[in-house]
Amino acid sequence: MSCHDIPRRHLAFTRLLYLSVMPAKSGDARPSRSPVSRRQVLAAGGTGLLAATASTTRAAARTRRARAAGGDGTPEQIHLTWGEDPATGVVISWASPEPATQPRVRIGQRVIPGEPRQYSDGINGGTVWTYHSRVDGLRPGATYAYVVTADNDANVADPFTATFRTAPHGRTAFRFTSFGDLATPNTAWVLSYGQSAYAVDAVESFQPLFHLLNGDLCYADLNPTVQPEVWRDFGNNNQTSAANRSWMPCLGNHEVEFDNGAQGFTSYLTRYTLPDNHVPGFGGRWYSFRVGSVLFISLDADDVVYQDAGAFVAGPGALTPVASTGNQAIEPGTSFYLKGYSGGAQTAWLQRALAAGRLDDSVDWIIVQMHHCACSSSATGNGSDLGIRQQWLPLFDRYEVDLVLNGHDHDYERSFPVRGADADAGHEVATGAVVDTLRPHPVTTTDNGVFDTSQGTVHLILGCGGTDANLDDYGTDTADGSSFPGGSPPRTPPGQAKVFTQANRPVPTSTADVFTRAGADAVEDATWSAKRDTSTGYGIAVFDVNPDPEDFGGHTSITVTQYHAVGADPVNPATGVKGAPTPDYTEFETFTLIRPRRA
Ligand SMILES: [Fe+2]
């Protein structure tokens, strides 16, 4: 189904799951989700639907066992990810406030134990219990119901149930959605905001087969003494959608947490079970999966970017973990910098994955998901990063990656198709000296709404999920009239992008024991920038994959529609107008990607 079938959609959401609406900031009303389990009415007619009713006698017996077992093993933060083959398998993951006794999933006649996985947070020492049930052997394109419970589930008499659909097999039309930078609706946490609840509802409203969550999931690292609590609010907010369809994440800079594993990813890796990349020591950090004729590749750009944007102690005080962790105080000026952590293993894997994808006649499209940006002209956000351009864009060119989906900057921006690089197109901010930013070269600057991505890769910035810091303002270069040489028509004002070409490690400020990290060190004219949403920092991208070649003369196509939530900005950066979270997502733009269909 094309998204043209949804005429300028105004989304009205039923918020049955909100138990309360509490004032958060003056003038704001934010929805708050309870961590109690969601009930769903099972729709008949699907394939393999499971009757979820337990007998009264059995339920009473389980309740007695739960009391005897002690602790609260009630499932929460329930979410799905694809298994190794999305057509035949999913992984059902969840958490519980205390250790669960006999955690399990029931699907059809099968009972699948939840594999326990736990960790203790390296800062506050809190223990997190999670469970993962891998469900394989399913039928492609089929709907299944499942139950999640445990012996000490407080809802054991009426346990959590939901349904999901497996991916179709072969060249078939399907829809997916994407955004990054979601946060939680609990504004007690730094960078959380009520829009994140509406964003989750927006996913549900479009009923995609799955959703791509492009990093910076909940900003727990910015709330370092309560990280597990922030993750819990994130998981319970997402459950509204992620229990019904796979949410496939990637790592962002805010998944990097002090004292939580070699790269700080323990909170993330404990909660998610992701397709195996078969690279020893780096499981879960990057992966790929196939749906229909599309190869999806999810990368961790923390490994290649110059920008230092992970966990950071600015000072003046140290960050002191609780004594039970045994961890030392983290002194002001300390940051968790990851560039090069895989020793080249990720880039080598990427090259193999891309090569195999382009040798496979059943693959038409290659879509990359990663958090940081190669093509962002955000003014108050981060901007672009030379590290991605050096290490990965040449591979994207060589193997004709069609589309790159990012987050990181809290806005919406679309590039023209780009291939190759313009040399010496940047300038150092400090000196004005020429610096080679490897500026991606647009293969066209005609914005006619249809782009052949066999000729160049389109980059989309989708950091428009729900976080508090809307950054929908973009760089301009009013002093440089040649910003878009040959552009047709010329854009006003010309765009300018910031580019990190060096590591911005912490440096002292004039205040004792207080440190800062500088912004990008270079700028360039953003000749590759095609469209920027200046009206709101919030939205969701909807992708309709159409393998039928009839519409575009032998080409297969993906129609992309960006819906945005106008008025949701806490403060509009262009006008200063104060906004508030809103459930109304309306169409911002639609365009179509085409490429020749394989054999
Ligand atoms: Fe980020």
Side-chain angles (χ1 to χ4, degrees):
M1 180 176 69
S2 164
C3 52
H4 292 295
D5 296 333
I6 306 173
R8 195 169 178 78
R9 184 168 186 164
H10 287 257
L11 307 177
F13 299 124
T14 304
R15 309 206 57 76
L16 296 176
L17 300 178
Y18 293 161
L19 300 189
S20 61
V21 176
M22 297 181 290
K25 298 175 179 177
S26 63
D28 289 354
R30 65 160 172 87
S32 174
R33 286 207 166 99
S34 161
V36 300
S37 297
R38 179 189 190 191
R39 302 295 193 281
Q40 285 197 325
V41 177
L42 300 183
T47 304
L49 283 176
L50 172 71
T53 304
S55 73
T56 303
T57 302
R58 291 170 58 197
R62 286 203 181 98
T63 301
R64 286 195 298 275
R65 284 201 300 273
R67 288 175 181 152
D72 183 358
T74 306
E76 61 176 42
Q77 307 174 51
I78 299 161
H79 61 98
L80 306 183
T81 50
W82 290 130
E84 299 301 323
D85 179 358
T88 59
V90 301
V91 178
I92 301 169
S93 300
W94 68 98
S96 58
E98 296 173 284
T101 304
Q102 303 291 333
R104 57 192 180 273
V105 162
R106 281 191 283 125
I107 182 165
Q109 300 303 310
R110 301 160 66 186
V111 176
I112 303 171
E115 174 195 329
R117 199 185 298 165
Q118 71 181 71
Y119 73 100
S120 293
D121 183 77
I123 302 297
N124 78 2
T127 301
V128 174
W129 290 273
T130 74
Y131 314 91
H132 306 264
S133 290
R134 186 178 294 278
V135 186
D136 290 321
L138 302 173
R139 292 204 294 273
T143 300
Y144 291 87
Y146 68 96
V147 173
V148 184
T149 191
D151 286 356
N152 54 345
D153 176 357
N155 303 312
V156 69
D158 184 18
F160 179 91
T161 68
T163 63
F164 66 87
R165 188 167 181 81
T166 54
H169 184 71
R171 275 192 175 88
T172 308
F174 66 92
R175 167 178 287 182
F176 67 97
T177 54
S178 183
F179 54 60
D181 305 76
L182 180 57
T184 89
N186 183 351
T187 55
W189 312 136
V190 172
L191 282 195
S192 276
Y193 186 50
Q195 193 63 31
S196 68
Y198 292 128
V200 173
D201 287 343
V203 176
E204 279 307 277
S205 75
F206 289 107
Q207 293 285 295
L209 180 63
F210 63 96
H211 181 68
L212 297 178
L213 182 56
N214 305 334
D216 282 5
L217 278 55
C218 65
Y219 306 89
D221 69 310
L222 297 180
N223 305 269
T225 62
V226 288
Q227 289 174 150
E229 289 85 347
V230 179
W231 277 100
R232 186 185 192 200
D233 283 345
F234 163 81
N236 283 323
N237 181 46
N238 291 3
Q239 178 178 299
T240 302
S241 174
N244 305 328
R245 61 201 76 252
S246 292
W247 277 45
M248 302 303 286
C250 70
L251 286 156
N253 51 304
H254 288 292
E255 278 63 68
V256 182
E257 299 171 351
F258 286 119
D259 292 327
N260 276 334
Q263 296 93 32
F265 298 151
T266 297
S267 296
Y268 174 96
L269 295 173
T270 304
R271 287 173 171 82
Y272 284 99
T273 296
L274 298 164
D276 193 351
N277 62 24
H278 302 286
V279 182
F282 296 111
R285 290 148 180 87
W286 60 84
Y287 59 92
S288 67
F289 62 93
R290 276 282 303 278
V291 175
S293 60
V294 185
L295 172 64
F296 291 88
I297 293 180
S298 182
L299 300 175
D300 177 19
D302 291 301
D303 192 19
V304 300
V305 292
Y306 283 96
Q307 185 184 10
D308 182 354
F312 172 46
V313 179
L319 174 61
T320 304
V322 300
S324 64
T325 65
N327 292 323
Q328 301 298 307
I330 304 164
E331 297 301 324
T334 306
S335 68
F336 203 157
Y337 189 58
L338 290 179
K339 182 173 170 57
Y341 79 78
S342 82
Q346 182 173 199
T347 299
W349 174 91
L350 172 63
Q351 195 274 333
R352 294 195 300 272
L354 291 172
R358 281 293 173 232
L359 284 173
D360 186 337
D361 281 348
S362 68
V363 171
D364 291 326
W365 302 91
I366 299 179
I367 296 176
V368 167
Q369 170 199 39
M370 63 177 168
H371 179 67
H372 307 69
C373 312
C375 296
S376 170
S377 68
S378 171
T380 50
N382 302 281
S384 307
D385 202 289
L386 180 61
I388 301 169
R389 295 177 177 185
Q390 288 173 326
Q391 297 201 39
W392 291 348
L393 261 54
L395 293 174
F396 296 172
D397 285 348
R398 179 178 175 186
Y399 295 105
E400 297 183 10
V401 167
D402 298 282
L403 181 63
V404 175
L405 305 179
N406 303 124
H408 204 35
D409 284 331
H410 304 163
D411 56 33
Y412 171 81
E413 183 168 16
R414 170 172 58 84
S415 81
F416 291 111
V418 294
R419 181 152 296 169
D422 302 325
D424 297 332
H427 297 271
E428 288 185 0
V429 173
T431 66
V434 171
V435 58
D436 193 353
T437 55
L438 294 176
R439 185 177 65 185
H441 178 75
V443 297
T444 178
T445 54
T446 299
D447 198 3
N448 65 1
V450 179
F451 304 100
D452 184 349
T453 52
S454 70
Q455 304 303 304
T457 305
V458 170
H459 294 247
L460 284 184
I461 310 302
L462 299 174
C464 47
T467 185
D468 184 49
N470 59 296
L471 300 172
D472 44 315
D473 55 344
Y474 305 84
T476 58
D477 185 1
T478 53
D480 184 356
S482 63
S483 291
F484 290 94
S488 177
R491 272 158 294 274
T492 303
Q496 184 182 66
K498 303 186 296 184
V499 187
F500 282 96
T501 72
Q502 303 170 23
N504 58 323
R505 303 309 306 276
V507 293
T509 68
S510 57
T511 303
D513 295 326
V514 174
F515 293 76
T516 189
R517 294 184 290 197
D521 53 281
V523 293
E524 66 185 18
D525 291 335
T527 53
W528 39 261
S529 182
K531 191 82 169 182
R532 312 190 289 192
D533 188 352
T534 58
S535 62
T536 175
Y538 299 96
I540 180 172
V542 180
F543 303 82
D544 287 296
V545 178
N546 176 19
D548 186 342
E550 292 182 2
D551 293 345
F552 293 99
H555 290 65
T556 180
S557 67
I558 300 177
T559 300
V560 186
T561 305
Q562 172 71 8
Y563 294 85
H564 64 173
V566 176
D569 281 359
V571 177
N572 185 292
T575 65
V577 172
K578 182 173 174 52
T582 174
D584 295 325
Y585 284 74
T586 56
E587 183 177 322
F588 173 65
E589 72 156 342
T590 297
F591 58 95
T592 301
L593 310 179
I594 62 172
R595 74 153 31 245
R597 181 168 144 165
R598 295 292 298 269

